[in-house]
Amino acid sequence: TVSMLWRFEISDPCYDKYSHMTNSSETLNLDSEVKSRLRGRRLFIIGFTSPLGQSIASQALVAGAQVFAVSRSVPAVFKVSNYCMEIQMDLNVNGSLRKLGLVCGDLVICAAPIRVLARAVTGVEFPSNVCIAAVSSASAITKVNSPFPRDAQLSQELLTAEAVVTTAFEGNARILRPTMIYGSGRDNNVAQIVRILTRFHVFPLVGGGVGLRAPVHVDDLAQVAVAAVAANPISNPIHVPGGERL
């Protein structure tokens, strides 16, 4: 389990500039071993236009990786740098990952929903030593015995998708299970609370506020994803909660 510290500032400028990117020391520090393994490697980031994809790209570029931004569309506002190559691809098409033309030693990080990724890898045979870090959700285990049918179904779908991706990459898959992700200003949980507090200065505690959450910052999750895809074979899955229960 990788535990990250809770980081939150209501005045954080990222809530106003959703497409912010960093290419300097503002990027979270990756250790020298991770950087050496990324330097010069081809890294495909699926779901590039998401906040997580943007953060991953920023950190990977600083580490010296050759980054390919993969998305259904890449608007100009999301362009990272001239060193980031863009590939348009629809993951909803079965076997669509074949379009990437992956070769031995390539790295892939998927910030898109893992259930969509499972469809994209269907029927595709990948070269050996192609490693992927795929973002699932802690709901895969926290909702497995939920009394609510919809939550239990979500858990089963996530577990099935994880198995499909793991099998497709023959053990070279790292499955990340983050908790609630915040920090981009585009999420529908913490950012929504910020908007309500900013406008009304109060927030209702539904049901007394007894439910516990451990939100993880999007940049922290990106750092874990980059480190995981560059690491030697490690135990799966990787649980990535925030560092504080709220």
Side-chain angles (χ1 to χ4, degrees), residues 150-205:
R150 189 172 181 179
D151 285 347
Q153 180 182 354
L154 171 62
S155 172
Q156 187 56 54
E157 290 177 356
L158 289 170
L159 291 171
T160 299
E162 289 178 3
V164 169
V165 173
T166 300
T167 300
F169 285 87
E170 299 181 350
N172 290 317
R174 287 85 162 106
I175 305 298
L176 308 184
R177 288 178 177 170
T179 49
M180 180 186 295
I181 305 170
Y182 78 100
S184 67
R186 293 163 61 193
D187 61 81
N188 291 318
N189 37 67
V190 175
Q192 181 69 4
I193 293 174
V194 170
R195 285 189 284 268
I196 292 173
L197 283 171
T198 301
R199 181 173 180 180
F200 300 107
H201 307 291
V202 295
F203 188 84
L205 294 179

Side-chain angles (χ1 to χ4, degrees), residues 3 9-11 20 27 30 51 55-56 58 90 94-95 116 152 169 181 196 200 206 232 234 239 241:
S3 183
E9 294 180 12
I10 197 169
S11 60
H20 78 293
T27 306
L30 296 170
S55 183
I56 291 169
S58 177
D90 188 356
N94 282 3
V116 179
F169 285 87
I181 305 170
I196 292 173
F200 300 107
V206 180
N232 285 324
I234 50 181
H239 300 282

Side-chain angles (χ1 to χ4, degrees), residues 10-241:
I10 197 169
S11 60
D12 191 332
C14 75
Y15 285 98
D16 299 316
K17 295 184 67 177
Y18 296 163
S19 61
H20 78 293
M21 290 296 300
T22 58
N23 279 302
S24 64
S25 58
E26 295 178 11
T27 306
L28 290 176
N29 291 325
L30 296 170
D31 64 41
S32 57
E33 183 179 359
V34 172
K35 288 183 177 179
S36 65
R37 291 182 177 180
L38 284 173
R39 193 172 296 115
R41 301 274 298 274
R42 299 205 312 171
L43 173 62
F44 295 79
I45 302 174
I46 300 172
F48 165 74
T49 57
S50 69
L52 178 57
Q54 293 275 282
S55 183
I56 291 169
S58 177
Q59 297 189 41
L61 284 169
V62 170
Q66 184 181 0
V67 174
F68 293 80
V70 184
S71 183
R72 281 182 296 182
S73 61
V74 185
V77 69
F78 286 109
K79 193 173 183 65
V80 180
S81 76
N82 293 329
Y83 300 100
C84 188
M85 286 154 281
E86 302 166 5
I87 299 175
Q88 292 189 351
M89 186 179 69
D90 188 356
L91 289 183
N92 289 301
V93 178
N94 282 3
S96 55
L97 238 64
R98 188 180 290 107
K99 181 179 178 181
L100 295 183
L102 298 173
V103 299
C104 182
D106 281 345
L107 304 174
V108 181
I109 300 179
C110 182
I114 195 168
R115 290 177 290 175
V116 179
L117 175 63
R119 191 177 305 128
V121 302
T122 299
V124 182
E125 292 187 9
F126 297 100
S128 60
N129 296 325
V130 171
C131 183
I132 185 171
V135 178
S136 181
S137 170
S139 295
I141 53 171
T142 60
K143 296 181 178 181
V144 67
N145 294 317
S146 173
F148 304 103
R150 189 172 181 179
D151 285 347
Q153 180 182 354
L154 171 62
S155 172
Q156 187 56 54
E157 290 177 356
L158 289 170
L159 291 171
T160 299
E162 289 178 3
V164 169
V165 173
T166 300
T167 300
F169 285 87
E170 299 181 350
N172 290 317
R174 287 85 162 106
I175 305 298
L176 308 184
R177 288 178 177 170
T179 49
M180 180 186 295
I181 305 170
Y182 78 100
S184 67
R186 293 163 61 193
D187 61 81
N188 291 318
N189 37 67
V190 175
Q192 181 69 4
I193 293 174
V194 170
R195 285 189 284 268
I196 292 173
L197 283 171
T198 301
R199 181 173 180 180
F200 300 107
H201 307 291
V202 295
F203 188 84
L205 294 179
V206 180
V210 296
L212 295 178
R213 296 294 183 270
V216 60
H217 196 279
V218 63
D219 290 339
D220 292 333
L221 177 57
Q223 185 180 27
V224 173
V226 172
V229 79
N232 285 324
I234 50 181
S235 59
N236 263 329
I238 304 170
H239 300 282
V240 195

